[in-house]
Amino acid sequence: MLSWLSQNLATILITLLLVAIVAAIIIGMVRRSKKIKSSCSGGCATCPYSSCGCNNHKKK
C-alpha cells in the first residue's frame, strides 16, 4: 500500500488540487448567484422575455 502511494503521489496531488479548484469555482458561483438573487440584470429593452412581462409583476 505504501509503495503504491509513493508511486502515485504526483497523480494523487494533482487530482486533489483539481478537485479543490473545481470546488472553489462552484462555491463562488453559488455565492454569487445568492447575492444577485435574480438572473435578470435589468435592461428590459434588449431582453427577449420583455414582452411576457417577467419583471412587471407588482406586489400589492
Side-chain angles (χ1 to χ4, degrees), residues 6-7 11 19 21-22 28 30 33 36 40 44 52 54 58 60:
S6 65
Q7 290 173 353
T11 304
V19 166
I21 290 171
V22 169
V30 168
S33 70
I36 295 172
C40 184
C44 293
C52 71
C54 66
K58 299 201 184 232
K60 293 181 179 183

Side-chain angles (χ1 to χ4, degrees), residues 2-60:
L2 191 56
S3 65
W4 180 84
L5 281 175
S6 65
Q7 290 173 353
N8 295 311
L9 185 62
T11 304
I12 293 169
L13 291 177
I14 291 171
T15 303
L16 289 175
L17 178 67
L18 290 175
V19 166
I21 290 171
V22 169
I25 291 171
I26 291 172
I27 290 170
M29 290 172 65
V30 168
R31 285 183 181 171
R32 191 176 322 124
S33 70
K34 284 184 179 180
K35 185 186 294 186
I36 295 172
K37 298 192 187 221
S38 174
S39 62
C40 184
S41 62
C44 293
T46 59
C47 180
Y49 303 108
S50 63
S51 63
C52 71
C54 66
N55 215 11
N56 295 330
H57 299 291
K58 299 201 184 232
K59 295 180 182 179
K60 293 181 179 183

